[in-house]
Amino acid sequence: MPTSWPQQSVSSWPRPRFPPWRRRAHRPPPRRPARPERPGPTTGAVSAIAEIRDRSGVWRGASGVADLATGAPVRGDGRFRAGSVTKVFVATTVLQLVGERRLGLDDSVEQHLPGLVPGGANITVRQLLNHTSGLWDPTNESGGIFPELFDPAVFRAWVADGGLRRTVTARELVAASTAHTPNFPPGSEWQYSNTNYALLGLLIEKTTGRGYGQEITRRVLRPLGMTDSLFPGTASTIPGRHAHGYWTIVDETAPVRKTYVDVTEHNPSWAGAAGELISTTADLVRFERALLNGQLLPQWLMREMTSMVPTEPGAHQLDYGLGLARYQLSCGPVLGHNGGIFGFDTQLWGTADRQVALSYTGRGDEKDEAAQLAAMRAFLETAFCGGR
């Protein structure tokens, strides 16, 4: 699986990503955005739920079904897998430890996790946070921890062999990464790698004596009242109300057949600190609002978090900071992250005044996925810019 940002959204790929949307001219955001008529990319998707919060109040929406088998309508207050939105929580916790002088952004990996990463003396905490370490990503690259899952026969065999329930530890992920040649020397380029956040999870554990999930719960989830969010570890289920997520098998026979496989229940340990969080739109909006309004980090650490590097040389459509990205909409930039994990796609973006969370369960072939991406982009434009 490729690690570069793909040319289109593939909703069921087990990887976090940012779609390379086209740049538009900057315009100041309107005071009151138009409220979307529906919550997002329902074009071919199974379901979509969203929440928008600003000073004028809260808008929530839901569309589609929670389960293809029963046809039950999706609930807007249900849980979902948030994928790489997890990274913002991990980064916030690491930066809190930096503020407490228990870690330094320019500390090396070797200082805190000796012997774990070859060349770790040349990789800093900052480079892990902003994906400039050069470490290879075994969750996204061919030859990594997943077989070629877009091959229908391979996917079916992998599921039958228990692939969805396999436990992959952070150290196993790091070992798979370091067995491969790094992509580039540390600090010389940018390339997204879940290995970086597997290491940050281990770093939190080494520094605090608690697992990253426990520490984030203690520092962020509980203080903010995020009672519907959790780190499942190796548990394969989503507790409580939730939508089902699906993987589309496309058999290129005549006629072409699409089969939707329910992948809701799976062991997310492979994603770990890079993407295992389960949450709700209300909880994510609450977190985004607290973060962007200075409730979780002091101003000097927010400046560090929003110190960006381009994800593409010479372009600033999408820049990446310390676990937080900046994306350019037609009316100006928003800060946040997105996430993709088996069956679920999540978008969390905001400004200090307005925050938007969207989760959708996509399905279909490349044409279907492109339509869902276009609908999602239109939803964000409407939510932030009034649909202009």
Side-chain angles (χ1 to χ4, degrees):
M1 298 179 187
T3 55
S4 59
W5 304 122
Q7 293 305 305
Q8 57 201 21
S9 171
V10 182
S11 61
S12 49
W13 284 9
R15 66 190 192 140
R17 62 206 178 272
F18 291 101
W21 301 327
R22 293 185 179 178
R23 245 179 129 180
R24 302 192 184 187
H26 177 84
R27 285 197 290 257
R31 291 186 180 180
R32 280 175 172 261
R35 294 311 197 213
E37 295 180 359
R38 59 183 184 177
T42 55
T43 307
V46 179
S47 70
I49 58 176
E51 178 166 326
I52 304 171
R53 180 181 291 271
D54 60 20
R55 293 175 181 175
S56 67
V58 178
W59 177 91
R60 297 184 181 94
S63 182
V65 300
D67 186 345
L68 287 175
T70 67
V74 69
R75 293 186 51 140
D77 59 354
R79 289 188 174 111
F80 51 84
R81 299 189 188 276
S84 269
V85 171
T86 308
K87 290 181 172 67
V88 193
F89 290 79
V90 171
T92 299
T93 300
V94 169
L95 288 170
Q96 287 182 350
L97 293 170
V98 170
E100 296 164 9
R101 302 187 182 280
R102 300 169 72 180
L103 287 174
L105 287 173
D106 296 318
D107 289 355
S108 71
V109 172
E110 183 67 17
Q111 282 177 253
H112 298 281
L113 299 170
L116 185 60
V117 178
N122 299 317
I123 299 172
T124 66
V125 173
R126 184 190 305 274
Q127 290 165 348
L128 296 179
L129 286 163
N130 68 9
H131 296 293
T132 60
S133 70
L135 291 169
W136 189 73
D137 187 352
T139 69
N140 282 327
E141 292 284 3
S142 178
I145 64 171
F146 295 109
E148 299 298 330
L149 297 181
F150 293 106
D151 182 315
V154 171
F155 178 79
R156 289 187 175 101
W158 180 74
V159 171
D161 195 39
L164 285 169
R165 299 186 181 277
R166 175 188 170 199
T167 294
V168 180
T169 69
R171 290 182 179 271
E172 287 173 339
L173 194 71
V174 171
S177 171
T178 57
H180 193 280
T181 304
N183 293 317
F184 48 80
S188 64
E189 297 181 39
W190 183 92
Q191 189 163 335
Y192 199 83
S193 175
N194 285 324
T195 306
N196 294 319
Y197 279 74
L199 284 165
L200 289 167
L202 292 171
L203 196 59
I204 291 171
E205 181 178 358
K206 180 69 178 293
T207 304
T208 67
R210 288 177 287 269
Y212 64 84
Q214 292 175 295
E215 193 66 13
I216 295 170
T217 299
R218 187 177 75 87
R219 289 172 174 267
V220 180
L221 303 191
R222 285 179 186 160
L224 293 182
M226 297 176 63
T227 57
D228 288 322
S229 298
L230 67 145
F231 292 89
T234 59
S236 61
T237 58
I238 302 176
R241 294 183 294 269
H242 61 273
H244 285 236
Y246 298 88
W247 179 279
T248 302
I249 297 175
V250 181
D251 288 293
E252 299 289 350
T253 56
V256 173
R257 291 186 297 112
K258 300 175 189 177
T259 305
Y260 306 118
V261 180
D262 191 327
V263 292
T264 309
E265 293 191 5
H266 72 266
N267 181 339
S269 59
W270 67 270
E276 72 159 285
L277 179 69
I278 291 173
S279 193
T280 63
T281 56
D283 270 7
L284 291 184
V285 162
R286 183 178 291 117
F287 167 73
E288 180 87 345
R289 186 180 187 184
L291 178 65
L292 298 186
N293 281 278
Q295 296 178 34
L296 296 173
L297 294 171
Q299 188 175 11
W300 72 275
L301 283 172
M302 282 303 297
R303 285 197 298 268
E304 292 283 6
M305 194 178 211
T306 55
S307 177
M308 302 284 171
V309 295
T311 62
E312 295 183 14
H316 294 284
Q317 177 189 3
L318 178 73
D319 295 331
Y320 203 93
L322 305 186
L324 193 69
R326 182 176 62 214
Y327 175 64
Q328 188 74 28
L329 291 169
S330 66
C331 56
V334 290
L335 296 171
H337 214 289
N338 73 345
I341 191 168
F342 287 106
F344 297 88
D345 272 274
T346 303
Q347 301 286 333
L348 178 64
W349 299 98
T351 64
D353 296 326
R354 184 175 302 130
Q355 303 84 40
V356 176
L358 164 69
S359 172
Y360 71 97
T361 53
R363 63 173 171 176
D365 57 20
E366 291 184 359
K367 183 178 178 181
D368 299 322
E369 291 152 0
Q372 291 159 32
L373 172 60
M376 182 266 290
R377 179 178 61 185
F379 172 81
L380 291 177
E381 280 285 337
T382 300
F384 285 106
C385 308
R388 297 182 303 172

